Amino acid sequence: MKKLVFLTGAGMSAESGISTFRDSGGLWEQYPVEAVASIQGYERDPELVQKFYNERRQQLGSVTPNEGHKLVASLEDKFKVSVITQNVDDLHERAGSQHIIHLHGELMKATSSRNPNDPNCIVTLPADNPVIHMGDKAKDGSQLRPFIVWFGESVPMIEPAIEEVSRADILVVIGTSLNVYPAAGLLNFANSRCKIYLIDPNPVPYDPSLGIHHIMKGASKGMEELCQLLVNEG
Ligand code: OAD
């Protein structure tokens, strides 16, 4: 079986009703990114940051995976699939994908403010009330915080992600503006035989020497086209 690796961003979940960050009307137009998605922002105003992610979690309960997520999962019948996602939602999981690397954390999890990457401190929030209150404590006694990789923090899952990309026969990038590093740099780890596809309805800046096949469509229609293109592979 060929190894098929997906790298997904906010555009993957746009058709499920979750706003992207940088498109017009995106989240970073409504909230200053440094206030709600940086470690300095959290240190300055933890209540505001907790409120922001409590709201994101509430929204997640009311959305479902779209056709694109489902088609990504369906390709596991024919390929060895792994999904590297910058998204903190759980829509790939809910669509049935089995091997998922979350580069930027997971919305439904919480962790320690002192040691965010300590596996003993990472907990899954209850699905029926996924809220973190100020005063809720992690196992190490520190304030419980969202399990999100904020700007200014390390990205521990980048190493396994590089490993996956470097072994890919086919790499499919969906719905990311490739603005945020180190995730955006993952394309450079594809080996020279790896075929790279990009699904995004808008132009995305990438290195033309990578020979990328750009399917200029949204995630669901783009995945339908990709499945046709891959029909003789596997
Ligand atoms: P962006 O908001 O930067 O980019 C979204 C991309 O999705 C753009 O290229 C859009 O053209 C594309 N898009 C829009 N609608 C789409 C659709 N229906 N189908 C497919 N693509 C569509 O989001 P990311 O690149 O994911 O990190 O942002 C990267 C990181 O920046 C996020 O993980 C987040 C943010 O700050 C943190 O919060 C830590």
Side-chain angles (χ1 to χ4, degrees):
M1 267 189 179
K2 284 192 177 164
K3 185 167 178 62
L4 172 56
V5 175
F6 288 91
L7 170 63
T8 68
M12 182 81 232
S13 299
E15 290 158 25
S16 294
I18 300 179
S19 289
T20 60
F21 297 98
R22 296 176 183 80
D23 289 307
S24 119
L27 268 182
W28 295 158
E29 249 176 44
Q30 303 164 51
Y31 302 89
V33 50
E34 56 292 341
V36 296
S38 76
I39 184 63
Q40 295 82 4
Y42 178 66
E43 281 161 2
R44 221 170 15 241
D45 192 346
E47 283 88 354
L48 174 85
V49 176
Q50 299 281 20
K51 181 167 174 287
F52 175 78
Y53 288 98
N54 284 338
E55 285 171 7
R56 304 273 79 68
R57 255 179 247 115
Q58 212 133 47
Q59 181 198 26
L60 190 52
S62 65
V63 301
T64 51
N66 63 54
E67 209 45 42
H69 293 107
K70 291 178 194 164
L71 288 171
V72 168
S74 75
L75 286 170
E76 293 191 10
D77 291 345
K78 283 184 65 188
F79 296 91
K80 216 163 161 270
V81 176
S82 47
V83 178
I84 302 165
T85 187
Q86 296 167 85
N87 297 345
V88 298
D89 65 51
D90 58 358
L91 296 180
H92 282 300
E93 281 88 345
R94 284 199 251 153
S97 285
Q98 301 283 324
H99 306 284
I100 305 168
I101 295 177
H102 281 275
L103 284 176
H104 294 163
E106 293 172 70
L107 201 45
M108 293 305 288
K109 293 185 177 173
T111 190
S112 148
S113 289
R114 196 177 305 139
N115 293 304
N117 295 313
D118 178 351
N120 294 317
C121 290
I122 300 168
V123 291
T124 300
L125 293 163
D128 58 347
N129 186 28
V131 175
I132 306 178
H133 300 100
M134 292 307 290
D136 291 350
K137 295 276 192 286
K139 211 170 172 187
D140 63 2
S142 70
Q143 170 65 46
L144 211 54
R145 60 161 261 189
F147 180 55
I148 302 287
V149 175
W150 286 320
F151 288 102
E153 297 191 300
S154 63
V155 183
M157 295 311 284
I158 196 67
E159 290 302 329
I162 289 172
E163 179 68 24
E164 289 296 309
V165 170
S166 64
R167 291 192 288 119
D169 297 302
I170 304 167
L171 174 65
V172 183
V173 180
I174 307 179
T176 171
S177 62
L178 296 174
N179 262 296
V180 175
Y181 284 80
L186 280 170
L187 274 69
N188 300 318
F189 290 91
N191 67 64
S192 54
R193 294 172 313 283
C194 177
K195 176 86 191 141
I196 308 181
Y197 295 90
L198 168 72
I199 299 175
D200 199 300
N202 299 307
V204 178
Y206 53 78
D207 178 355
S209 72
L210 291 170
I212 291 178
H213 179 139
H214 188 173
I215 300 172
M216 270 198 131
K217 292 185 175 168
S220 299
K221 291 279 173 226
M223 274 304 299
E224 279 175 25
E225 185 168 327
L226 180 83
C227 289
Q228 291 301 317
L229 289 167
L230 297 186
V231 84
N232 293 320
E233 308 236 19

